[in-house]
Amino acid sequence: MSDSASVWTQRLAEFRAATAARQPTPGCGAAGAVTADIGLALVLKGLRISEAHGSDPVRHELLQAAEALLGRPGAFADDDMQAFDDYLSAARHGEVENKQAAARQACAVPLALAHCCLEALELAVDAWPRTDPIVQSDVHAGAVLIHAGLSAALINVDADMTSLEDPSAQDQAGRTRRRLQSEGDALLRRLVDSGK
């Protein structure tokens, strides 16, 4: 996807309007990617503010990891829109082989996003006890947004895997989808339980 068409070069209001429009993309995958990246930004904010109040070696490592990860979940927004556009194009032109390749990609992108969200969610869980109480709400909210992005990506997989003609590919996508949701749910529960 060209820079001019990227989600990240649009104004926020434009992205919201495009998401609400009567057009195929951006949809739940792109919205999930943006949501997860904003959530990760909140986690990073909590780490940066806490680190400014006094250095902690473990927190500093978490901060560096969050800085390195920031942008990765969001990059899947453009990938998701491109994958679905490619699928629709192949379907419209009756390109059976290309349609199946595009269907596999349309499933692979949100699964990759969900993997990235898991990494960000693990980071949020590890960051929460290392942040100052005044910004723990940012980390907690960030984790909830990351989890929402993961869940949206996996809902996208549910919709896209029906286009896979190979039953074993459908089964594998379904198993991976369920595992990622379960791991994400467990991570969010861990953070919520540690905050009680």
Side-chain angles (χ1 to χ4, degrees):
M1 187 155 282
S2 72
D3 275 352
S4 62
S6 172
V7 164
W8 296 101
T9 59
Q10 297 177 20
R11 295 174 59 90
L12 190 55
E14 292 169 345
F15 178 68
R16 182 187 63 201
T19 302
R22 192 175 51 199
Q23 60 192 32
T25 61
C28 60
V34 170
T35 299
D37 220 21
I38 297 298
L40 181 56
L42 282 171
V43 173
L44 183 54
K45 173 193 284 292
L47 288 166
R48 283 179 172 160
I49 289 172
S50 299
E51 191 66 10
H53 293 152
S55 188
D56 170 271
V58 174
R59 183 173 53 225
H60 186 72
E61 282 183 29
L62 291 167
L63 191 153
Q64 289 179 316
E67 286 175 337
L69 188 57
L70 188 65
R72 276 190 33 215
F76 286 103
D78 292 337
D79 295 343
D80 182 79
M81 292 189 311
Q82 186 65 58
F84 196 61
D85 284 345
D86 291 347
Y87 174 79
L88 291 176
S89 177
R92 198 171 25 253
H93 295 102
E95 301 166 347
V96 177
E97 193 172 308
N98 288 344
K99 182 180 169 190
Q100 275 309 289
R104 288 189 297 275
Q105 185 66 6
C107 282
V109 169
L111 286 172
L113 167 58
H115 277 285
C116 188
C117 288
L118 266 185
E119 187 178 344
L121 203 47
E122 286 174 7
L123 204 149
V125 170
D126 291 342
W128 190 85
R130 297 258 178 204
T131 53
D132 292 348
I134 193 74
V135 289
Q136 283 183 327
S137 59
D138 289 308
V139 175
H140 187 162
V144 170
L145 290 173
I146 294 165
H147 183 268
L150 178 144
S151 297
L154 295 176
I155 289 168
N156 198 18
V157 173
D158 290 338
D160 293 342
M161 71 182 175
T162 61
S163 301
L164 297 171
E165 292 177 358
D166 179 3
S168 66
Q170 271 192 12
D171 182 60
Q172 182 179 356
R175 279 186 282 114
T176 303
R177 181 254 184 270
R178 288 187 295 277
R179 178 184 57 78
L180 290 167
Q181 186 73 65
S182 177
E183 290 178 17
D185 292 350
L187 281 166
L188 186 61
R189 260 192 318 274
R190 243 178 71 201
L191 187 143
V192 169
D193 290 346
S194 69
K196 290 180 181 175

